[in-house]
Amino acid sequence: MDAFLTKSLHIVSIGVIAITTFFSQAIQNHNQTTPRATITKVASHATTTLSLSSTTTTKQTKQASTSTSFIGPKIPLALATTTKNKNIGLIPAKELVKAATEKDKLKITLNTDIPAKPLISLAQLNTEARSAVVNILCNTAQDGLRPLSGSGMIIDERGVILTNAHIGQYFLLRDFPKKDNVDCVIRSGAPAHAMYRGELLFISPPWVEANKKNITEEDPTGTGENDFALILITNSVNAGERLPATFPHVSYNTEDINADTDGLDNFVIVGYPAGFLGSLDIYQNLFISSTVSQLKKLYTFKEKTIDLLSFGGSVLAQKGASGGGVVRQKDEALVGIVVTTTEAKTTGDRDLHAISISHINRSIEASTNKTLAGYLLGDLSETLSNFKNGKFQYLKNILVNELTS
């Protein structure tokens, strides 16, 4: 098992610029051998911005110098920059494997009389995942904030979107420096077209506090820890048009990935990646991309928790896929959202990373004393109001202070 431990990673931001290649019906299936557990004390998030003046398709390769770290090496979020991670301490993988194995045995003992659920086909799972993915596109009326775009997954039939905090932070700044300065629309379809507007239902306070300087930096960096936000769809872009009674969505699973068995599962990864499009195409020709992959490695931000999932190379390993979903075949559940990729010339040679839903669940519980399901329980309009009258202004002020200092 020690042979699988990784002492350093070369990571590049996946980005929030929503650029994408056209979706290929053919789904890639990586059949490489998967180690049971590879744990290291680092993970990273990504964000990207887009230049409105660019209308040509280009591949950006600007590089950045090595950055400092607070838990693990930080990595660049914007403009397709890259950096090398420093060597870091490792957590023994065997302990996690043993715990996961015993936990799995307990499940088997308790469920021996329950027949196994037939697996959904990958084609059907792909269709379901693609129906729940959205593109979030934010424009600004004044200079100071760059337009950006990213992905998200609808996780509740009432229109709750799970995405990254580095995307959600733009919803905090909607009325800065003037009313409606930041205009974010929620798009769906292929190509993506404007459908809805939404409001910030939650954003991780620890992420905003730890990454406040990202909003002003040319090449912001971060680890990806706590990098999540919830957006509630509130109305249609077309005045007077009613919202659907229910939204297409995916269920989610907050249990830690099983280090022994989940390496054999298939996962559909979906989003609106944008590594090879210019700004005009982002607005007019942004398509969904999806792929099938298998779990390659597991990482942690702390000690024995599973926080970051590694899936190897795929068409999603490019800028713009941040916030896209990782849906597991065996239970048709969302188990992660895309956050970073390693550096390589081709997407097939990169290593796609996602933060786990179990990490998100632990993080939101630490901030609210409620699990993810508990936070979404009940009247969402009341939950939205409580957040807006509570942490919203405090978190907005953190960013505004950075922008005005």
Side-chain angles (χ1 to χ4, degrees):
M1 181 60 65
D2 291 342
F4 294 119
L5 294 177
T6 304
K7 292 188 177 181
S8 65
L9 296 173
H10 301 287
I11 301 181
V12 61
S13 65
I14 261 206
V16 255
I17 292 198
I19 330 173
T20 184
T21 53
F22 294 91
F23 169 66
S24 171
Q25 285 295 139
I27 304 174
Q28 300 173 341
N29 190 347
H30 300 283
N31 293 316
Q32 301 176 12
T33 301
T34 304
R36 288 184 172 182
T38 303
I39 310 300
T40 184
K41 226 176 186 179
V42 59
S44 38
H45 88 241
T47 187
T48 320
T49 57
L50 59 98
S51 168
L52 295 180
S53 61
S54 171
T55 58
T56 59
T57 301
T58 60
K59 183 175 181 181
Q60 303 179 39
T61 57
K62 178 182 176 183
Q63 293 191 346
S65 59
T66 303
S67 60
T68 58
S69 62
F70 57 93
I71 290 180
K74 293 186 178 182
I75 59 168
L77 308 182
L79 305 179
T81 55
T82 65
T83 188
K84 294 181 180 180
N85 286 339
K86 299 177 180 178
N87 288 343
I88 49 178
L90 298 171
I91 294 174
K94 291 182 179 179
E95 294 182 16
L96 184 61
V97 173
K98 181 179 179 182
T101 303
E102 291 177 352
K103 182 179 178 182
D104 192 54
K105 287 180 180 178
L106 177 61
K107 286 184 179 181
I108 294 173
T109 301
L110 295 176
N111 294 281
T112 51
D113 296 330
I114 301 176
K117 179 182 177 180
L119 283 181
I120 187 175
S121 71
L122 287 174
Q124 181 61 31
L125 185 66
N126 181 59
T127 298
E128 293 181 4
R130 287 165 63 85
S131 71
V133 69
V134 296
N135 169 243
I136 302 167
L137 184 67
C138 297
N139 293 308
T140 58
Q142 287 185 201
D143 293 337
L145 285 176
R146 292 163 292 183
L148 88 169
S149 165
S151 304
M153 295 295 292
I154 302 178
I155 60 170
D156 188 290
E157 65 177 11
R158 296 169 292 177
V160 177
I161 299 168
L162 176 62
T163 187
N164 292 128
H166 59 266
I167 299 171
Q169 65 179 337
Y170 270 56
F171 286 76
L172 288 171
L173 297 168
R174 182 182 64 184
D175 295 325
F176 175 81
K178 65 178 183 179
K179 185 175 176 58
D180 296 327
N181 183 62
V182 178
D183 179 34
C184 295
V185 294
I186 298 162
R187 307 197 299 172
S188 65
H193 56 281
M195 293 287 292
Y196 310 112
R197 298 191 182 277
E199 295 191 49
L200 192 63
L201 188 63
F202 182 83
I203 189 171
S204 169
W207 186 90
V208 176
E209 292 164 348
N211 296 275
K212 58 186 179 182
K213 293 187 179 299
N214 289 353
I215 198 71
T216 60
E217 292 177 348
E218 179 75 13
D219 297 310
T221 62
T223 66
E225 185 174 14
N226 302 314
D227 190 358
F228 71 97
L230 297 169
I231 296 167
L232 178 64
I233 296 174
T234 53
N235 55 284
S236 171
V237 293
N238 299 317
E241 185 174 310
R242 300 182 63 179
L243 294 176
T246 60
F247 289 87
H249 65 286
V250 291
S251 61
Y252 55 88
N253 191 322
T254 59
E255 292 186 358
D256 268 333
I257 291 286
N258 187 293
D260 254 5
T261 62
D262 284 354
L264 303 176
D265 290 331
N266 289 314
F267 299 80
V268 168
I269 308 175
V270 63
Y272 281 92
F276 307 102
L277 292 183
S279 297
L280 185 61
D281 280 333
I282 292 171
Y283 287 101
Q284 297 180 354
N285 297 300
L286 182 60
F287 284 77
I288 303 171
S289 292
S290 57
T291 186
V292 169
S293 186
Q294 289 184 315
L295 190 61
K296 301 299 186 295
K297 299 176 183 178
L298 303 173
Y299 300 93
T300 185
F301 295 124
K302 302 295 185 183
E303 292 183 357
K304 296 181 181 179
T305 57
I306 295 177
D307 301 311
L308 191 73
L309 317 176
S310 166
F311 290 96
S314 81
V315 68
L316 272 295
Q318 54 174 296
K319 296 190 303 176
S322 286
V326 177
V327 185
R328 185 169 52 193
Q329 183 183 22
K330 75 175 182 182
D331 55 2
E332 305 165 42
L334 186 74
V335 295
I337 56 172
V338 173
V339 70
T340 58
T341 182
T342 56
E343 178 188 7
K345 291 183 178 180
T346 67
T347 58
D349 292 329
R350 298 171 187 172
D351 186 8
L352 182 67
H353 295 158
I355 52 172
S356 67
I357 300 300
S358 58
H359 168 68
I360 292 171
N361 191 60
R362 284 187 291 270
S363 180
I364 196 171
E365 187 171 15
S367 294
T368 67
N369 292 319
K370 295 180 180 180
T371 63
L372 179 56
Y375 190 81
L376 298 179
L377 188 65
D379 185 354
L380 290 181
S381 61
E382 181 178 347
T383 303
L384 178 63
S385 177
N386 290 339
F387 178 72
K388 292 175 70 175
N389 294 325
K391 284 284 188 180
F392 185 97
Q393 191 62 46
Y394 161 71
L395 297 173
K396 175 182 177 179
N397 288 342
I398 291 176
L399 299 182
V400 170
N401 289 340
E402 284 298 319
L403 288 166
T404 56
S405 60

